[in-house]
Structures are given as structure tokens and as C-alpha cells.
Amino acid sequence: MIRAQPSLIATTDGARSRVQAAAVAGVLLVALAVRWWAAAHNEFPTVDGTQYLDQAWQLCFRGQLAYSCFPPGWPLLAAVPLRFLPADDPQAMLTAAHIANVVLGVLSVWLTWLLLRKRLGFALSLAGAGLVALLPQYVVLAKSDLSDLAYMCGLLGGWLLLERRRDLPAALVLGFTYLVRPESALASLGLIAWRWRADRRVPWRLVIGHAVLVIPYLVFLRVAGGAWDISSKTVALTQSLEAHPGLGYAGLIGANLVKLAPLLTGQLGVPLALLAAYGVVRHRGAWAWLLLPLASVPLVINPMVVRFWLPYLPVLLLGAGLGARSLVDLVARRSTAGGARAPKAPTIALAVLVASGLAVAAIDDAPLIRRNTEAYYGLKDAGLWLRRPTTRETLVADYKPYAAFWAGTRFLKYPELGSALEYALWARNQDVDYLVVNVQTVRQYLPGLDGLLVSPLAPELADKLELVHTCFYERVGDNTVVYRVRR
């Protein structure tokens, strides 16, 4: 009987491990299914996504790295599945982005599990991974064409490798993350300083691993952009400083913070957001350096949107888990000071509060999984029609780049002008080939184009523009017309 006891313990531990592995695999499969379904129902790109995807196309089929305000890391990832899809199909570019983001979305769930497991134990870690798997805004990212998930996976993957003392692979991952979002340099510098202080010597592997990827990009910026810079995105910082000189810049930062901070509670609910703030401050460790790039968000003129928070939520969940455990332990110590058993009521109450806050936040965002705010049917159909009479060198003007994306042409954004005649003259001066005019964008942004939504055109317009295509829909805002600019 005594000899059998170790075997029994080993069998029990093995069964527990198999159950835990099955639970994690189940969460990953659910994450994959939800993201695949959401991506399959998204037929429209985003504004920034059209530029990312054009970069990916240039890399795949022309072997060129285009200079852009968007760094090349995410286009490089999207180019991998795009290489196996048709070169002349704009839908293929969007599909490539969806494939990459679905994979990265599932990977982010697994990395969240690994991040939490070491410090929070199985139950809390599985709950955190499940939250990332099902939180509506994370599912929305998986059906998008943007770089948030690549950035998130880069930060988490780099830290997990670094924590395991695999410095060179960690540096390569974090160096590539710089190519996705250059603000990751703030996290990298913090982690290098932390390792330097801990080991009392320069962490050369971390430095060299970063340099292998970062320095060639900086040289590319010098050659393509004409000046030394740390990122092609610093133009946004320059514009912000010019638009808000002196103390006005501090006002911009304050206004952005006021808009950005409440977006966290909109994702996690108030109780969990407060726990995250408490845990990060109370239990801060080297992992907290991963949050430092968030400080760069309020520094530029930019609409404060919830996706700025999303790459950092796994780290905040770690803080929330540590904060919750310390609060429960504090209550337990006070309750058992006289030898009594610790009550379960505080733990249950905290769990109910957190779950309630999460439920409210998730219910508000759930419709976004299916909805697409960039569903411009007229611009898509106009672009598909333009594929016939145009080439990749054709210049198409519009307020949004969607028609040009679907046509596979160059794009020029409308300026704000006062009348349709001014737009017609502007189009000639800019060597524009086609004008795309959509009812919704005219109503919202460019009332000066209203003269191009009437038929027949005024005589002063008719000799400059030719109506070549119309798209009519039950929803009037989708109605779109295409004009050829007369030479």
C-alpha cells in the first residue's frame, strides 16, 4: 500500500494536467471559431487598412517596400498569406489580413494564458485567457485589417521569452514589434534597463537583437524619407506640436487623457479596471514596462479609440489578478486573526462585482462583432466597376480610399473646397482621372461636392466632367456616382 501511494499521486497529477490542457485547448478552439466566423462576415477594409494592404501587395508582387507613415511590420505579416492568393484580386488582400489576424487573435489568447499562468494559477489564468478569447473588441480586431494584434503578440511574446532568459530571441521579437509599432521602443528600453540593473552588466544580446532589425529600418527611413528619424509616424507628433504650441500642448495631452481613460472601464467594467490599476501599482514588476508605450497615445492629435487599450489588456489583467488576490488575502488575514476560518463571502462578492461589470461592458460591445462601420457599398461597387477602364497608375479622387482600393488604382483625397466647380478645376490641376462622389460622405464631410449629386450637371461642370457610372441603393446614403475628368 505504501509503495502504491507515489504512483497514485503521479496518476492524479497526470489526470489534472490533462484536464487543464484540455480546458486551455477548448478556449483556443472557441477563440478560433468565433474569430473565423466574424472575419468571414466582414467584406470591407478600413481607411488605414487600405494603406497597410497596399504595402503588403507591393511587397508580395513587386518586391518593393513602399515608404509610408505606416511602418512595414504588419504588411510583412499580411504578405505571408497574400503570397498564396491571387495577385489581381482586391478581396484577396482583405482575406490575407483576416487570415493573419485570426491566427494572431488565437495566438494572443495563448500568450495571455502563458503570461498569467506563472503568477495567478490555473483558474484565474484560464479566466483571463477566456476573457481575451471572447471580449467583443478583441473579436473585432481579428476581423479587421489593422496591426493591433501583431503588436500585442509581439509585446507578450518578447516578454515571455525574456522572462525565460532567452535574450536573443526576445530581442528579435521585440525588434520586429518596433517595425509594427515604433512606440514599443519605450517598453524595450525599460526592459533593457531592468536587465542591465539586475545583472549589473550590459545585456548585449538584447541590444544586438534589437539592432539587427531596427537599424536597417532607420537606414531605410533615411534613404526613402531624406532625413534621420526613429519612425515614419513621428510626423503626427510634429503636427501636434505645431498645432498646439507651448502650454497648449499640455492641454492637448490632458484632453486626450480625459477621453482615453474611460475607455478602459468600457472594456473591463469599473470593478476590474480599478483592480487592474491597484494591482499594477501595488505589485509592479518588470512586466509593467510593457505598459509604458501606452503613455505615447495621448501625445498626438488623434481620436481616442478603444483599440489603443487592447494590446495592453493582458498585462492589466495580470495586475487585476494580483490585486484581487492581495485584497482577498488581506481580508483573510484580518478574519483569521483570532483563529477563525476565513469567510468566503468577500471572495464571492468580489467575483460577482467583476463579472457584473464585465457583462455590462460586453453586452454594449457585442453588436460590433457583426457590424461594420466602414460598410460603404456604393464605394465598393464603384471601385469594382472602375477595375475595367483603369490601371494601377490611374488616379482616383475620393474622400475615403475605398473605391481606389477595390479598383486597384492610386488614390488622392479630396481637400475641403467650397463648390463643385472648384473640385472640377482642382481635379484637372492634380491630373485626376476619376472623381467618386458618395452621398453619405458629401453630407457628412464635403458639402462643397453637392453640385455633383444633381443631374444634369451645370454647364460649367459638364465641359469638365463626364458622368460614367451610377450606383443606386435602397439606402440613399450609399448612392454613388463616378465622373471621368475631361482633358
Side-chain angles (χ1 to χ4, degrees):
M1 177 68 83
I2 295 177
R3 292 179 181 176
Q5 192 170 7
S7 177
L8 179 60
I9 294 173
T11 302
T12 302
D13 290 343
R16 183 185 298 111
S17 298
R18 287 191 293 273
V19 170
Q20 292 179 354
V24 174
V27 170
L28 295 177
L29 288 174
V30 169
L32 174 62
V34 171
R35 282 156 177 75
W36 192 268
W37 175 84
H41 287 86
N42 179 23
E43 304 173 7
F44 300 92
T46 63
V47 171
D48 290 353
T50 61
Q51 298 187 53
Y52 277 129
L53 294 179
D54 181 67
Q55 285 179 270
W57 189 91
Q58 298 279 353
L59 284 166
C60 263
F61 303 113
R62 287 188 174 175
Q64 298 176 351
L65 177 59
Y67 179 80
S68 169
C69 64
F70 294 99
W74 166 234
L76 283 166
L77 293 176
V80 175
L82 181 58
R83 193 66 185 87
F84 300 95
L85 297 171
D88 59 347
D89 183 4
Q91 182 63 53
M93 292 195 286
L94 189 57
T95 300
H98 290 164
I99 291 173
N101 268 336
V102 167
V103 172
L104 290 168
V106 177
L107 178 60
S108 70
V109 177
W110 183 60
L111 292 175
T112 299
W113 155 256
L114 294 178
L115 174 72
L116 303 181
R117 181 183 60 178
K118 181 178 179 180
R119 293 173 174 84
L120 299 183
F122 173 75
L124 287 178
S125 300
L126 187 67
L131 177 60
V132 173
L134 296 175
L135 197 68
Q137 288 286 359
Y138 274 121
V139 180
V140 170
L141 288 184
K143 70 169 189 173
S144 81
D145 47 19
L146 299 176
S147 62
D148 303 274
L149 287 171
Y151 176 58
M152 173 182 169
C153 289
L155 286 179
L156 294 181
W159 163 252
L160 289 168
L161 288 167
L162 188 62
E163 193 178 31
R164 288 159 175 75
R165 307 292 299 193
R166 300 182 64 183
D167 286 6
L168 185 59
L172 292 173
V173 171
L174 290 170
F176 184 82
T177 306
Y178 182 92
L179 303 185
V180 178
R181 296 273 188 86
E183 57 265 34
S184 70
L186 296 174
S188 292
L189 290 172
L191 291 171
I192 289 173
W194 161 71
R195 178 55 62 79
W196 191 345
R197 181 180 179 183
D199 294 350
R200 298 184 181 277
R201 58 186 175 85
V202 178
W204 288 111
R205 290 186 178 182
L206 281 180
V207 175
I208 293 172
H210 277 84
V212 166
L213 292 170
V214 173
I215 290 179
Y217 175 59
L218 300 182
V219 172
F220 167 76
L221 292 180
R222 175 67 177 86
V223 173
W228 289 107
D229 207 343
I230 59 172
S231 166
S232 55
K233 296 176 71 174
T234 54
V235 63
L237 181 60
T238 301
Q239 291 172 347
S240 300
L241 289 168
E242 291 175 351
H244 298 270
L247 292 177
Y249 185 57
L252 170 68
I253 296 174
N256 282 344
L257 285 171
V258 169
K259 297 173 185 176
L260 181 66
L263 296 176
L264 177 62
T265 59
Q267 291 306 294
L268 299 180
V270 174
L272 189 55
L274 292 176
L275 276 177
Y278 168 71
V280 169
V281 174
R282 174 70 174 79
H283 299 278
R284 60 187 181 277
W287 49 267
W289 286 111
L290 299 178
L291 297 173
L292 188 57
L294 186 60
S296 67
V297 173
L299 301 183
V300 298
I301 300 172
N302 205 358
M304 295 295 105
V305 293
V306 70
R307 68 185 185 87
F308 290 154
W309 279 108
L310 295 178
Y312 308 99
L313 283 194
V315 184
L316 293 173
L317 291 177
L318 175 57
L322 293 173
R325 283 205 319 195
S326 65
L327 287 177
V328 170
D329 290 344
L330 178 63
V331 173
R333 286 196 301 271
R334 291 184 175 181
S335 300
T336 57
R341 179 178 297 180
K344 295 183 179 180
T347 303
I348 296 173
L350 184 60
V352 170
L353 278 174
V354 168
S356 300
L358 273 172
V360 172
I363 289 171
D364 285 345
D365 287 337
L368 298 176
I369 294 177
R370 187 65 183 268
R371 185 187 308 155
N372 192 316
T373 56
E374 298 298 309
Y376 287 86
Y377 292 92
L379 297 183
K380 179 178 180 179
D381 291 340
L384 293 174
W385 179 87
L386 279 167
R387 290 181 67 80
R388 294 191 293 273
T390 61
T391 68
R392 282 209 161 258
E393 301 308 314
T394 301
L395 186 58
V396 174
D398 197 354
Y399 181 76
K400 290 180 178 285
Y402 301 140
F405 170 81
W406 293 107
T409 64
R410 294 185 298 140
F411 166 69
L412 184 63
K413 185 174 181 177
Y414 287 134
E416 292 188 19
L417 300 176
S419 68
L421 180 58
E422 290 181 69
Y423 279 105
L425 295 173
W426 169 83
R428 278 188 171 181
N429 292 335
Q430 297 295 324
D431 292 326
V432 172
D433 297 296
Y434 291 91
L435 298 180
V436 178
V437 185
N438 168 261
V439 171
Q440 182 175 335
T441 56
V442 170
R443 287 175 174 175
Q444 285 186 288
Y445 310 110
L446 300 172
L449 279 169
D450 191 62
L452 298 183
L453 295 176
V454 299
S455 183
L457 287 179
E460 66 271 16
L461 294 173
D463 66 343
K464 299 176 180 62
L465 304 173
E466 176 190 3
L467 179 64
V468 292
H469 187 64
T470 58
C471 302
F472 292 107
Y473 304 89
E474 182 177 348
R475 181 178 175 272
V476 175
D478 289 322
N479 291 344
T480 304
V481 291
V482 181
Y483 289 96
R484 183 179 64 83
V485 180
R486 297 181 188 271
R487 300 299 181 202

